[in-house]
Protein backbone atom coordinates (compact mmCIF):
# COMPACT_ATOMS: atom_id res chain seq x y z
CA UNK A 1 0.00 0.00 0.00
CA UNK A 2 1.36 3.40 -0.92
CA UNK A 3 1.41 5.58 2.23
CA UNK A 4 -0.97 8.53 2.57
CA UNK A 5 0.77 11.85 2.09
CA UNK A 6 0.95 14.79 4.44
CA UNK A 7 -2.08 17.04 4.08
CA UNK A 8 -2.95 20.72 3.80
CA UNK A 9 -6.02 22.97 3.94
CA UNK A 10 -7.94 23.92 0.76
CA UNK A 11 -6.56 27.17 -0.68
CA UNK A 12 -9.42 28.36 -2.85
CA UNK A 13 -13.22 28.22 -2.73
CA UNK A 14 -15.31 26.48 -5.35
CA UNK A 15 -17.11 29.78 -5.97
CA UNK A 16 -13.83 31.41 -6.95
CA UNK A 17 -13.11 28.56 -9.37
CA UNK A 18 -16.62 28.73 -10.87
CA UNK A 19 -16.30 32.50 -11.29
CA UNK A 20 -12.93 32.25 -13.01
CA UNK A 21 -14.17 29.50 -15.35
CA UNK A 22 -17.17 31.60 -16.36
CA UNK A 23 -15.26 34.89 -16.60
CA UNK A 24 -12.57 33.44 -18.81
CA UNK A 25 -14.76 31.24 -20.97
CA UNK A 26 -13.72 27.81 -19.71
CA UNK A 27 -17.09 26.47 -18.56
CA UNK A 28 -20.69 27.74 -18.65
CA UNK A 29 -23.80 26.35 -16.95
CA UNK A 30 -25.67 24.50 -19.71
CA UNK A 31 -28.91 25.95 -21.13
CA UNK A 32 -28.30 29.11 -19.15
CA UNK A 33 -30.72 31.24 -21.19
CA UNK A 34 -33.50 28.84 -20.13
CA UNK A 35 -32.53 28.95 -16.48
CA UNK A 36 -30.05 26.08 -16.65
CA UNK A 37 -30.44 22.34 -16.23
CA UNK A 38 -29.05 20.72 -13.13
CA UNK A 39 -25.44 19.60 -13.06
CA UNK A 40 -24.83 19.95 -16.76
CA UNK A 41 -22.15 22.23 -18.16
CA UNK A 42 -20.99 23.48 -21.52
CA UNK A 43 -17.31 23.92 -22.23
CA UNK A 44 -16.06 27.09 -23.91
CA UNK A 45 -12.87 27.53 -25.93
CA UNK A 46 -10.31 27.32 -23.12
CA UNK A 47 -12.27 24.57 -21.38
CA UNK A 48 -12.20 22.47 -24.53
CA UNK A 49 -8.47 23.08 -24.99
CA UNK A 50 -7.65 22.29 -21.35
CA UNK A 51 -9.74 19.12 -21.24
CA UNK A 52 -8.25 18.02 -24.58
CA UNK A 53 -4.79 18.46 -23.09
CA UNK A 54 -5.76 16.39 -20.03
CA UNK A 55 -7.00 13.63 -22.33
CA UNK A 56 -3.91 13.86 -24.55
CA UNK A 57 -1.67 13.43 -21.49
CA UNK A 58 -3.72 10.41 -20.45
CA UNK A 59 -3.40 8.86 -23.93
CA UNK A 60 0.31 9.59 -23.84
CA UNK A 61 0.65 7.84 -20.46
CA UNK A 62 -1.30 4.84 -21.73
CA UNK A 63 -0.12 4.39 -25.31
CA UNK A 64 3.28 6.05 -25.63
CA UNK A 65 4.55 4.70 -22.33
CA UNK A 66 3.04 1.20 -22.77
CA UNK A 67 3.35 -0.76 -25.98
CA UNK A 68 1.10 -3.44 -24.45
CA UNK A 69 -1.91 -1.06 -24.28
CA UNK A 70 -4.21 -0.45 -27.25
CA UNK A 71 -7.01 2.07 -27.81
CA UNK A 72 -10.74 1.55 -28.23
CA UNK A 73 -13.79 3.74 -28.78
CA UNK A 74 -17.01 1.83 -28.13
CA UNK A 75 -20.63 2.95 -28.56
CA UNK A 76 -22.61 4.88 -25.95
CA UNK A 77 -25.75 2.80 -26.55
CA UNK A 78 -25.04 -0.91 -26.22
CA UNK A 79 -27.18 -4.03 -26.10
CA UNK A 80 -29.31 -3.85 -22.90
CA UNK A 81 -28.00 -7.27 -21.91
CA UNK A 82 -24.59 -5.69 -21.38
CA UNK A 83 -26.01 -3.89 -18.34
CA UNK A 84 -27.72 -7.01 -17.04
CA UNK A 85 -24.44 -8.91 -17.25
CA UNK A 86 -22.44 -6.09 -15.71
CA UNK A 87 -24.81 -5.89 -12.75
CA UNK A 88 -25.83 -2.30 -13.45
CA UNK A 89 -29.52 -3.06 -13.97
CA UNK A 90 -29.68 -4.88 -10.67
CA UNK A 91 -27.06 -3.08 -8.68
CA UNK A 92 -26.22 0.37 -9.99
CA UNK A 93 -28.38 2.11 -7.48
CA UNK A 94 -28.13 4.75 -4.81
CA UNK A 95 -30.40 4.67 -1.74
CA UNK A 96 -32.57 7.78 -1.82
CA UNK A 97 -34.56 9.61 0.83
CA UNK A 98 -37.24 12.21 0.05
CA UNK A 99 -38.36 14.97 2.40
CA UNK A 100 -42.14 15.41 2.24
CA UNK A 101 -41.83 18.94 3.67
CA UNK A 102 -39.24 20.60 1.47
CA UNK A 103 -39.61 18.14 -1.46
CA UNK A 104 -35.88 17.73 -1.72
CA UNK A 105 -34.25 14.38 -2.41
CA UNK A 106 -31.07 13.17 -0.77
CA UNK A 107 -28.70 10.23 -1.01
CA UNK A 108 -29.18 8.23 2.17
CA UNK A 109 -25.46 7.55 2.47
CA UNK A 110 -24.59 11.23 2.03
CA UNK A 111 -27.07 12.89 4.42
CA UNK A 112 -24.22 14.49 6.32
CA UNK A 113 -23.06 16.27 3.14
CA UNK A 114 -26.57 17.42 2.21
CA UNK A 115 -28.22 20.69 3.16
CA UNK A 116 -31.77 20.71 4.49
CA UNK A 117 -34.25 22.90 2.62
CA UNK A 118 -35.38 24.51 5.91
CA UNK A 119 -33.12 26.91 7.76
CA UNK A 120 -31.60 27.06 10.31
CA UNK A 121 -31.35 23.29 10.28
CA UNK A 122 -28.10 22.09 8.74
CA UNK A 123 -28.70 18.55 7.59
CA UNK A 124 -31.85 16.73 6.48
CA UNK A 125 -33.70 15.34 9.47
CA UNK A 126 -32.38 17.89 11.97
CA UNK A 127 -35.31 20.35 11.71
CA UNK A 128 -38.51 19.57 13.57
CA UNK A 129 -40.50 19.96 10.31
CA UNK A 130 -38.31 17.48 8.38
CA UNK A 131 -40.42 14.54 7.25
CA UNK A 132 -38.14 12.00 5.64
CA UNK A 133 -39.23 8.88 3.77
CA UNK A 134 -37.56 5.51 4.11
CA UNK A 135 -34.58 5.00 1.80
CA UNK A 136 -35.52 3.69 -1.64
CA UNK A 137 -33.21 2.29 -4.30
CA UNK A 138 -32.89 4.46 -7.39
CA UNK A 139 -31.16 3.29 -10.56
CA UNK A 140 -28.65 5.80 -11.90
CA UNK A 141 -28.87 4.75 -15.54
CA UNK A 142 -30.56 6.98 -18.11
CA UNK A 143 -33.12 5.05 -20.09
CA UNK A 144 -33.96 5.59 -23.73
CA UNK A 145 -35.70 3.72 -26.54
CA UNK A 146 -34.17 2.36 -29.70
CA UNK A 147 -36.31 2.52 -32.83
CA UNK A 148 -39.80 3.93 -33.34
CA UNK A 149 -41.67 1.99 -30.66
CA UNK A 150 -41.57 2.99 -27.03
CA UNK A 151 -42.21 -0.32 -25.34
CA UNK A 152 -40.31 -2.48 -22.92
CA UNK A 153 -38.67 -4.39 -25.77
CA UNK A 154 -37.03 -1.23 -27.09
CA UNK A 155 -35.56 0.00 -23.80
CA UNK A 156 -31.86 0.82 -23.94
CA UNK A 157 -29.49 2.72 -21.69
CA UNK A 158 -26.93 5.45 -22.04
CA UNK A 159 -23.76 3.85 -20.74
CA UNK A 160 -22.99 4.73 -17.12
CA UNK A 161 -19.32 3.76 -17.54
CA UNK A 162 -17.03 3.13 -20.49
CA UNK A 163 -15.55 -0.07 -19.05
CA UNK A 164 -18.23 -2.47 -20.31
CA UNK A 165 -17.54 -1.42 -23.91
CA UNK A 166 -14.03 -2.73 -23.34
CA UNK A 167 -15.10 -6.09 -21.90
CA UNK A 168 -17.56 -6.82 -24.70
CA UNK A 169 -14.77 -6.17 -27.23
CA UNK A 170 -12.24 -8.38 -25.44
CA UNK A 171 -12.31 -11.02 -28.20
CA UNK A 172 -12.16 -8.53 -31.07
CA UNK A 173 -9.19 -6.74 -29.58
CA UNK A 174 -7.34 -9.92 -28.64
CA UNK A 175 -7.68 -11.24 -32.19
CA UNK A 176 -6.37 -8.18 -33.91
CA UNK A 177 -3.88 -6.94 -31.33
CA UNK A 178 -2.18 -10.30 -30.70
CA UNK A 179 -1.32 -9.35 -27.14
CA UNK A 180 -0.78 -11.70 -24.25
CA UNK A 181 -1.52 -10.77 -20.65
CA UNK A 182 -0.54 -8.42 -19.20
CA UNK A 183 -2.09 -6.16 -21.81
CA UNK A 184 -4.48 -3.24 -21.64
CA UNK A 185 -7.38 -1.68 -23.54
CA UNK A 186 -7.86 2.04 -23.00
CA UNK A 187 -10.80 4.24 -23.80
CA UNK A 188 -11.95 7.82 -23.32
CA UNK A 189 -15.60 8.61 -23.78
CA UNK A 190 -18.78 10.11 -22.40
CA UNK A 191 -20.68 8.38 -19.62
CA UNK A 192 -24.09 9.29 -18.23
CA UNK A 193 -25.47 8.96 -14.72
CA UNK A 194 -28.66 10.33 -13.30
CA UNK A 195 -26.75 11.59 -10.27
CA UNK A 196 -28.60 12.71 -7.15
CA UNK A 197 -25.90 14.38 -5.09
CA UNK A 198 -24.89 17.15 -7.44
CA UNK A 199 -23.83 20.73 -7.00
CA UNK A 200 -20.06 20.70 -6.80
CA UNK A 201 -19.59 22.23 -10.25
CA UNK A 202 -18.01 19.74 -12.68
CA UNK A 203 -16.98 17.38 -9.87
CA UNK A 204 -20.16 15.37 -10.32
CA UNK A 205 -22.27 15.92 -13.41
CA UNK A 206 -24.89 13.85 -15.20
CA UNK A 207 -22.84 13.71 -18.38
CA UNK A 208 -19.08 13.39 -18.07
CA UNK A 209 -16.03 11.98 -19.76
CA UNK A 210 -14.25 8.94 -18.39
CA UNK A 211 -10.72 7.80 -19.06
CA UNK A 212 -10.67 4.09 -18.32
CA UNK A 213 -8.16 1.34 -18.97
CA UNK A 214 -8.74 -2.36 -18.37
CA UNK A 215 -5.48 -4.20 -17.78
CA UNK A 216 -5.81 -7.96 -18.30
CA UNK A 217 -3.33 -9.99 -16.28
CA UNK A 218 -2.65 -13.62 -15.25
CA UNK A 219 -4.78 -14.16 -12.10
CA UNK A 220 -1.86 -14.65 -9.72
CA UNK A 221 -0.29 -11.35 -10.84
CA UNK A 222 -3.35 -9.19 -10.10
CA UNK A 223 -2.21 -7.81 -6.69
CA UNK A 224 1.17 -6.84 -8.13
CA UNK A 225 -0.40 -4.96 -11.06
CA UNK A 226 -2.91 -3.28 -8.77
CA UNK A 227 -0.02 -1.81 -6.79
CA UNK A 228 1.75 -0.90 -10.01
CA UNK A 229 -1.20 1.07 -11.40
CA UNK A 230 -1.83 2.88 -8.12
CA UNK A 231 1.72 4.19 -8.25
CA UNK A 232 1.61 4.97 -11.96
CA UNK A 233 -1.60 6.93 -11.66
CA UNK A 234 -0.41 8.89 -8.62
CA UNK A 235 2.74 9.74 -10.56
CA UNK A 236 0.69 10.93 -13.53
CA UNK A 237 -1.00 13.55 -11.40
CA UNK A 238 2.21 14.69 -9.68
CA UNK A 239 4.18 14.77 -12.97
CA UNK A 240 1.48 17.07 -14.32
CA UNK A 241 1.99 19.43 -11.42
CA UNK A 242 -0.48 18.41 -8.71
CA UNK A 243 1.31 18.83 -5.40
CA UNK A 244 1.47 15.59 -3.44
CA UNK A 245 0.23 17.26 -0.24
CA UNK A 246 -3.18 17.46 -1.92
CA UNK A 247 -3.25 13.83 -3.04
CA UNK A 248 -3.76 10.64 -1.11
CA UNK A 249 -4.65 7.00 -1.69
CA UNK A 250 -7.55 5.58 0.24
CA UNK A 251 -8.40 1.91 0.30
CA UNK A 252 -12.11 0.98 0.21
CA UNK A 253 -13.45 -0.80 3.25
CA UNK A 254 -15.25 -4.16 2.73
CA UNK A 255 -18.75 -2.60 2.90
CA UNK A 256 -17.80 0.07 0.37
CA UNK A 257 -16.54 -2.21 -2.41
CA UNK A 258 -18.53 -2.31 -5.66
CA UNK A 259 -20.22 -5.58 -6.56
CA UNK A 260 -17.46 -6.43 -9.04
CA UNK A 261 -14.42 -5.51 -7.04
CA UNK A 262 -12.12 -7.49 -4.78
CA UNK A 263 -10.03 -4.43 -3.89
CA UNK A 264 -10.30 -0.76 -4.81
CA UNK A 265 -8.24 2.23 -3.87
CA UNK A 266 -9.26 5.76 -4.66
CA UNK A 267 -6.85 8.51 -5.44
CA UNK A 268 -8.37 11.39 -3.53
CA UNK A 269 -7.69 15.06 -4.03
CA UNK A 270 -8.20 17.87 -1.56
CA UNK A 271 -10.93 19.72 -3.47
CA UNK A 272 -12.32 22.94 -1.96
CA UNK A 273 -15.19 20.88 -0.48
CA UNK A 274 -12.75 18.45 1.14
CA UNK A 275 -11.03 15.17 0.26
CA UNK A 276 -12.94 13.49 -2.58
CA UNK A 277 -12.41 10.78 -5.15
CA UNK A 278 -10.38 11.76 -8.18
CA UNK A 279 -9.81 8.33 -9.66
CA UNK A 280 -10.59 4.74 -8.69
CA UNK A 281 -8.14 1.90 -9.19
CA UNK A 282 -9.97 -1.39 -8.86
CA UNK A 283 -9.02 -5.04 -8.95
CA UNK A 284 -12.11 -6.34 -10.76
CA UNK A 285 -10.92 -9.94 -10.71
CA UNK A 286 -12.54 -12.02 -13.48
CA UNK A 287 -16.06 -10.79 -12.67
CA UNK A 288 -16.78 -8.97 -15.93
CA UNK A 289 -15.35 -11.47 -18.40
CA UNK A 290 -17.17 -14.32 -16.63
CA UNK A 291 -20.45 -12.42 -16.55
CA UNK A 292 -20.29 -11.59 -20.25
CA UNK A 293 -19.33 -15.18 -21.04
CA UNK A 294 -22.40 -16.37 -19.18
CA UNK A 295 -24.81 -13.83 -20.66
CA UNK A 296 -23.53 -13.88 -24.25
CA UNK A 297 -22.46 -17.51 -24.56
CA UNK A 298 -19.10 -16.34 -26.01
CA UNK A 299 -16.03 -17.64 -24.24
CA UNK A 300 -13.98 -14.67 -23.11
CA UNK A 301 -10.64 -16.13 -22.15
CA UNK A 302 -7.01 -16.21 -23.15
CA UNK A 303 -5.39 -19.30 -24.60
CA UNK A 304 -1.79 -19.51 -23.50
CA UNK A 305 0.19 -21.13 -26.33
CA UNK A 306 3.06 -22.03 -23.97
CA UNK A 307 1.06 -23.97 -21.41
CA UNK A 308 -1.68 -24.93 -23.93
CA UNK A 309 -4.25 -23.86 -21.37
CA UNK A 310 -6.99 -21.29 -21.51
CA UNK A 311 -7.72 -19.00 -18.57
CA UNK A 312 -9.86 -15.97 -17.75
CA UNK A 313 -7.53 -13.04 -17.06
CA UNK A 314 -8.06 -10.82 -14.05
CA UNK A 315 -8.54 -7.12 -14.56
CA UNK A 316 -6.98 -4.05 -12.99
CA UNK A 317 -8.86 -0.88 -13.82
CA UNK A 318 -7.65 2.69 -13.37
CA UNK A 319 -10.82 4.77 -13.95
CA UNK A 320 -10.62 8.54 -13.98
CA UNK A 321 -12.94 11.37 -14.96
CA UNK A 322 -11.53 13.85 -17.47
CA UNK A 323 -13.71 16.65 -16.10
CA UNK A 324 -12.92 15.84 -12.49
CA UNK A 325 -9.20 15.67 -13.26
CA UNK A 326 -9.49 19.01 -15.05
CA UNK A 327 -11.15 20.51 -11.98
CA UNK A 328 -8.32 19.24 -9.79
CA UNK A 329 -5.71 20.71 -12.14
CA UNK A 330 -7.45 24.10 -12.10
CA UNK A 331 -7.87 24.08 -8.31
CA UNK A 332 -4.26 23.11 -7.73
CA UNK A 333 -3.00 25.72 -10.18
CA UNK A 334 -5.14 28.60 -8.87
CA UNK A 335 -3.09 31.27 -7.15
CA UNK A 336 -3.32 34.91 -6.23
CA UNK A 337 -0.51 37.27 -5.33
CA UNK A 338 0.17 40.96 -5.05
CA UNK A 339 2.43 42.44 -7.69
CA UNK A 340 3.37 46.11 -7.39
CA UNK A 341 0.38 46.81 -5.21
CA UNK A 342 -2.14 45.00 -7.47
CA UNK A 343 -3.75 41.62 -6.98
CA UNK A 344 -2.99 39.10 -9.68
CA UNK A 345 -4.87 35.84 -10.23
CA UNK A 346 -2.87 33.22 -12.05
CA UNK A 347 -3.41 29.60 -13.08
CA UNK A 348 -0.04 27.98 -12.58
CA UNK A 349 -0.88 25.06 -14.87
CA UNK A 350 1.70 22.64 -16.18
CA UNK A 351 2.67 24.18 -19.56
CA UNK A 352 1.59 21.01 -21.36
CA UNK A 353 -1.89 21.36 -19.86
CA UNK A 354 -2.21 25.10 -20.41
CA UNK A 355 -4.85 25.82 -23.09
CA UNK A 356 -2.59 28.39 -24.71
CA UNK A 357 1.19 28.10 -24.50
CA UNK A 358 2.20 31.50 -25.79
CA UNK A 359 0.49 34.85 -26.23
CA UNK A 360 2.01 37.14 -28.84
CA UNK A 361 1.41 40.78 -27.94
CA UNK A 362 2.41 44.01 -29.62
CA UNK A 363 3.32 46.49 -26.88
CA UNK A 364 1.15 49.12 -28.57
CA UNK A 365 -1.06 49.07 -31.66
CA UNK A 366 1.14 51.31 -33.78
CA UNK A 367 4.63 51.79 -35.27
CA UNK A 368 4.38 48.51 -37.18
CA UNK A 369 4.28 46.44 -33.99
CA UNK A 370 0.99 44.65 -34.77
CA UNK A 371 2.30 43.57 -38.20
CA UNK A 372 5.55 42.27 -36.76
CA UNK A 373 3.72 40.55 -33.91
CA UNK A 374 1.31 38.88 -36.34
CA UNK A 375 4.17 37.49 -38.40
CA UNK A 376 5.74 36.04 -35.24
CA UNK A 377 2.37 34.70 -34.15
CA UNK A 378 1.91 32.85 -37.45
CA UNK A 379 5.29 31.23 -36.97
CA UNK A 380 4.77 30.35 -33.28
CA UNK A 381 1.31 28.85 -33.68
CA UNK A 382 2.57 26.42 -36.29
CA UNK A 383 4.60 24.85 -33.45
CA UNK A 384 2.67 25.48 -30.20
CA UNK A 385 -0.87 26.61 -29.30
CA UNK A 386 -0.68 30.40 -29.39
CA UNK A 387 -2.89 33.43 -29.25
CA UNK A 388 -2.55 36.94 -30.65
CA UNK A 389 -3.94 39.83 -28.61
CA UNK A 390 -3.60 43.51 -29.36
CA UNK A 391 -6.56 45.04 -27.52
CA UNK A 392 -6.14 47.16 -24.36
CA UNK A 393 -3.16 47.96 -22.15
CA UNK A 394 -0.32 45.48 -21.98
CA UNK A 395 -0.95 44.99 -18.24
CA UNK A 396 -4.57 43.99 -18.85
CA UNK A 397 -3.56 41.59 -21.57
CA UNK A 398 -0.95 39.94 -19.33
CA UNK A 399 -3.55 39.57 -16.56
CA UNK A 400 -5.96 37.91 -18.96
CA UNK A 401 -3.30 35.44 -20.05
CA UNK A 402 -2.33 34.81 -16.41
CA UNK A 403 -5.92 33.86 -15.61
CA UNK A 404 -6.10 31.33 -18.42
CA UNK A 405 -2.70 29.97 -17.42
CA UNK A 406 -0.62 30.94 -20.48
CA UNK A 407 2.97 30.17 -19.47
CA UNK A 408 4.72 32.52 -21.91
CA UNK A 409 4.11 36.01 -23.23
CA UNK A 410 6.02 37.19 -26.30
CA UNK A 411 6.00 40.95 -26.54
CA UNK A 412 6.95 42.92 -29.62
CA UNK A 413 8.18 46.42 -28.79
CA UNK A 414 10.13 49.29 -30.35
CA UNK A 415 13.41 47.41 -30.21
CA UNK A 416 12.02 44.53 -32.26
CA UNK A 417 12.19 46.59 -35.45
CA UNK A 418 15.87 47.46 -34.74
CA UNK A 419 17.37 44.13 -33.79
CA UNK A 420 14.68 41.44 -34.29
CA UNK A 421 14.40 40.63 -30.59
CA UNK A 422 11.29 40.27 -28.43
CA UNK A 423 10.73 39.87 -24.70
CA UNK A 424 9.68 36.51 -23.31
CA UNK A 425 7.68 36.84 -20.10
CA UNK A 426 7.39 33.94 -17.69
CA UNK A 427 3.89 33.56 -16.16
CA UNK A 428 5.19 32.34 -12.79
CA UNK A 429 8.41 34.26 -12.07
CA UNK A 430 7.30 37.29 -14.12
CA UNK A 431 10.86 37.42 -15.41
CA UNK A 432 11.31 38.96 -18.84
CA UNK A 433 14.25 38.05 -21.04
CA UNK A 434 15.15 39.36 -24.48
CA UNK A 435 15.50 36.80 -27.22
CA UNK A 436 15.71 36.82 -31.01
CA UNK A 437 12.21 36.34 -32.44
CA UNK A 438 13.69 33.85 -34.86
CA UNK A 439 13.70 30.38 -33.37
CA UNK A 440 11.42 31.32 -30.47
CA UNK A 441 8.78 28.77 -31.49
CA UNK A 442 11.36 25.96 -31.38
CA UNK A 443 12.64 27.31 -28.05
CA UNK A 444 9.12 27.03 -26.56
CA UNK A 445 8.47 23.61 -28.09
CA UNK A 446 11.68 22.39 -26.41
CA UNK A 447 10.64 23.92 -23.08
CA UNK A 448 7.32 22.07 -23.30
CA UNK A 449 9.13 18.76 -23.37
CA UNK A 450 11.04 19.51 -20.15
CA UNK A 451 10.07 18.18 -16.71
CA UNK A 452 8.14 20.75 -14.70
CA UNK A 453 7.29 21.29 -11.05
CA UNK A 454 4.70 23.60 -9.60
CA UNK A 455 6.17 26.97 -8.59
CA UNK A 456 3.75 26.80 -5.65
CA UNK A 457 6.19 24.30 -4.14
CA UNK A 458 8.98 26.92 -3.99
P1 LIG B 1 -18.30 8.78 -6.91
O1 LIG B 1 -18.13 7.90 -5.68
O2 LIG B 1 -17.61 10.10 -6.83
O3 LIG B 1 -19.71 8.84 -7.42
P2 LIG B 1 -17.68 6.48 -8.42
O4 LIG B 1 -16.87 5.67 -7.47
O5 LIG B 1 -19.09 6.15 -8.68
O6 LIG B 1 -17.52 8.02 -8.08
P3 LIG B 1 -16.47 5.35 -10.70
O7 LIG B 1 -17.64 4.61 -11.14
O8 LIG B 1 -15.33 4.61 -10.06
O9 LIG B 1 -16.90 6.56 -9.79
O10 LIG B 1 -15.93 6.20 -11.94
C1 LIG B 1 -14.56 6.47 -12.13
C2 LIG B 1 -14.27 7.94 -12.18
O11 LIG B 1 -15.19 8.60 -13.06
C3 LIG B 1 -14.42 8.68 -10.86
O12 LIG B 1 -13.27 8.54 -10.08
C4 LIG B 1 -14.61 10.10 -11.32
O13 LIG B 1 -13.38 10.72 -11.62
C5 LIG B 1 -15.40 9.93 -12.59
N1 LIG B 1 -16.83 10.15 -12.33
C6 LIG B 1 -17.72 9.25 -11.86
N2 LIG B 1 -18.94 9.80 -11.76
C7 LIG B 1 -18.83 11.08 -12.18
C8 LIG B 1 -19.73 12.16 -12.34
N3 LIG B 1 -21.02 12.03 -12.06
N4 LIG B 1 -19.26 13.34 -12.79
C9 LIG B 1 -17.96 13.49 -13.11
N5 LIG B 1 -17.06 12.51 -13.00
C10 LIG B 1 -17.47 11.31 -12.54
Amino acid sequence: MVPAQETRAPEVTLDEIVALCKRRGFIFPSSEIYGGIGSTYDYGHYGVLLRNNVKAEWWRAMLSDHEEIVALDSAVIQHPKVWEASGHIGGFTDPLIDCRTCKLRFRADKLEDAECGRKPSKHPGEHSECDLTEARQFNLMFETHVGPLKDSASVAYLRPETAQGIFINFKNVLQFARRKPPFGIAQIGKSFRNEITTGNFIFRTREFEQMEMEYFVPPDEAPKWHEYWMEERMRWFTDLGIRSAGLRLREHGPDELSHYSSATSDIEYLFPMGWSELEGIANRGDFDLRQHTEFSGEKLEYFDPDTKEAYVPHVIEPAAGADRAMLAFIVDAYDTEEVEGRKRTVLRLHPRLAPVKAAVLPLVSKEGMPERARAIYDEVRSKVAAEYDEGGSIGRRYRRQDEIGTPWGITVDGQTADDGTVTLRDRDSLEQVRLPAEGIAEHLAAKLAEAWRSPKLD
Side-chain angles (χ1 to χ4, degrees), residues 29-37 42:
S30 185
S31 315
E32 206 177 5
I33 59 169
Y34 290 102
I37 173 162
D42 296 337

mmCIF file of all heavy atoms in Angstrom, residues 29-37 42:
data_model
loop_
_atom_site.group_PDB
_atom_site.id
_atom_site.type_symbol
_atom_site.label_atom_id
_atom_site.label_comp_id
_atom_site.label_asym_id
_atom_site.label_seq_id
_atom_site.Cartn_x
_atom_site.Cartn_y
_atom_site.Cartn_z
ATOM 1 N N PRO A 29 -22.668 27.208 -17.300
ATOM 2 C CA PRO A 29 -23.796 26.349 -16.951
ATOM 3 C C PRO A 29 -24.588 26.078 -18.231
ATOM 4 O O PRO A 29 -24.821 26.997 -19.010
ATOM 5 C CB PRO A 29 -24.631 27.190 -15.979
ATOM 6 C CG PRO A 29 -23.767 28.342 -15.600
ATOM 7 C CD PRO A 29 -22.755 28.542 -16.684
ATOM 8 N N SER A 30 -24.977 24.824 -18.463
ATOM 9 C CA SER A 30 -25.666 24.504 -19.710
ATOM 10 C C SER A 30 -27.073 25.098 -19.732
ATOM 11 O O SER A 30 -27.707 25.242 -18.691
ATOM 12 C CB SER A 30 -25.750 22.999 -19.894
ATOM 13 O OG SER A 30 -26.312 22.708 -21.143
ATOM 14 N N SER A 31 -27.546 25.441 -20.909
ATOM 15 C CA SER A 31 -28.913 25.953 -21.130
ATOM 16 C C SER A 31 -29.196 27.171 -20.259
ATOM 17 O O SER A 31 -30.308 27.345 -19.764
ATOM 18 C CB SER A 31 -29.957 24.871 -20.819
ATOM 19 O OG SER A 31 -29.604 23.638 -21.369
ATOM 20 N N GLU A 32 -28.188 27.995 -20.079
ATOM 21 C CA GLU A 32 -28.297 29.111 -19.148
ATOM 22 C C GLU A 32 -29.441 30.055 -19.507
ATOM 23 O O GLU A 32 -30.145 30.542 -18.624
ATOM 24 C CB GLU A 32 -26.974 29.873 -19.115
ATOM 25 C CG GLU A 32 -26.735 30.593 -17.818
ATOM 26 C CD GLU A 32 -25.383 31.273 -17.804
ATOM 27 O OE1 GLU A 32 -24.679 31.259 -18.829
ATOM 28 O OE2 GLU A 32 -25.041 31.842 -16.750
ATOM 29 N N ILE A 33 -29.662 30.284 -20.814
ATOM 30 C CA ILE A 33 -30.720 31.241 -21.190
ATOM 31 C C ILE A 33 -32.110 30.708 -20.849
ATOM 32 O O ILE A 33 -33.078 31.452 -20.840
ATOM 33 C CB ILE A 33 -30.643 31.654 -22.683
ATOM 34 C CG1 ILE A 33 -30.772 30.437 -23.602
ATOM 35 C CG2 ILE A 33 -29.376 32.432 -22.988
ATOM 36 C CD1 ILE A 33 -30.960 30.813 -25.076
ATOM 37 N N TYR A 34 -32.206 29.404 -20.563
ATOM 38 C CA TYR A 34 -33.496 28.841 -20.125
ATOM 39 C C TYR A 34 -33.511 28.579 -18.627
ATOM 40 O O TYR A 34 -34.326 27.796 -18.148
ATOM 41 C CB TYR A 34 -33.785 27.542 -20.895
ATOM 42 C CG TYR A 34 -34.105 27.798 -22.344
ATOM 43 C CD1 TYR A 34 -33.138 27.584 -23.328
ATOM 44 C CD2 TYR A 34 -35.344 28.291 -22.719
ATOM 45 C CE1 TYR A 34 -33.413 27.843 -24.655
ATOM 46 C CE2 TYR A 34 -35.630 28.552 -24.050
ATOM 47 C CZ TYR A 34 -34.671 28.329 -25.011
ATOM 48 O OH TYR A 34 -34.947 28.594 -26.322
ATOM 49 N N GLY A 35 -32.549 29.136 -17.920
ATOM 50 C CA GLY A 35 -32.527 28.949 -16.476
ATOM 51 C C GLY A 35 -31.657 27.788 -16.040
ATOM 52 O O GLY A 35 -31.611 27.448 -14.864
ATOM 53 N N GLY A 36 -30.974 27.154 -16.990
ATOM 54 C CA GLY A 36 -30.050 26.076 -16.646
ATOM 55 C C GLY A 36 -30.738 24.749 -16.467
ATOM 56 O O GLY A 36 -31.950 24.674 -16.293
ATOM 57 N N ILE A 37 -29.932 23.685 -16.514
ATOM 58 C CA ILE A 37 -30.441 22.339 -16.232
ATOM 59 C C ILE A 37 -29.421 21.716 -15.299
ATOM 60 O O ILE A 37 -28.227 21.812 -15.529
ATOM 61 C CB ILE A 37 -30.671 21.527 -17.524
ATOM 62 C CG1 ILE A 37 -31.042 20.077 -17.213
ATOM 63 C CG2 ILE A 37 -29.497 21.563 -18.475
ATOM 64 C CD1 ILE A 37 -31.696 19.338 -18.372
ATOM 65 N N ASP A 42 -21.510 23.365 -20.172
ATOM 66 C CA ASP A 42 -20.987 23.478 -21.520
ATOM 67 C C ASP A 42 -19.569 24.032 -21.427
ATOM 68 O O ASP A 42 -19.303 24.907 -20.609
ATOM 69 C CB ASP A 42 -21.869 24.418 -22.366
ATOM 70 C CG ASP A 42 -23.278 23.846 -22.538
ATOM 71 O OD1 ASP A 42 -23.437 22.611 -22.412
ATOM 72 O OD2 ASP A 42 -24.212 24.631 -22.785
#
